[in-house]
Amino acid sequence: MRKVVLFIAMSLDGYIADGNGGVAWLNGHGNDNENIDTYTEFTKDIDTVLMGWNTSHQVVTELSPQEWVYNKFTTYVLLLERLKQEAGKDIWICGGANLVQQLVSKNMIDKYYISVIPTLLGNGVRLLGNIDREIKLRLCKTQTYNGITDLIYMRR
């Protein structure tokens, strides 16, 4: 069965967007030549992207209005159980927070790939809200580059 993978970045204090919904702060503390291309490595095992409406809208109106940046993937704006049963590679949960929080509360995410950005925002859109149950994870890998720490967990 396909895995459902959350691949997302957040500030050290747990936000995925600032108070205005912006993501311009998503960078490390040095310069770009210190970065590792985690995106290309991650997407080798992905053929489907699932996102909430707000994330989809932000991509087409703000982040990449001239071109759909996920054109090599089949993209859905919300549906999952049927997708897990279909043949294919893993499914990327691209955001937003509302979708992530619903999937976490239902324990439907198999793998968490979270990049922690060296920034404290203080407010904004939280990645995780209150969860009504304990969800145990197993740390599989960590890596750091340019002040960013990638944490990769599997559901236990």
Side-chain angles (χ1 to χ4, degrees), residues 107-135:
N107 201 17
M108 294 182 71
I109 296 176
D110 300 304
K111 186 175 183 180
Y112 294 75
Y113 191 125
I114 300 175
S115 297
V116 181
I117 308 299
T119 300
L120 295 168
L121 291 176
N123 66 37
V125 179
R126 282 201 118 357
L127 173 60
L128 300 171
N130 292 329
I131 302 169
D132 60 357
R133 68 166 98 181
E134 179 181 13
I135 298 174

Side-chain angles (χ1 to χ4, degrees), residues 12 14 36-37 40 85 99 115 136:
L12 182 59
I36 297 173
D37 184 5
T40 299
Q85 304 301 322
L99 174 61
S115 297
K136 294 184 182 281

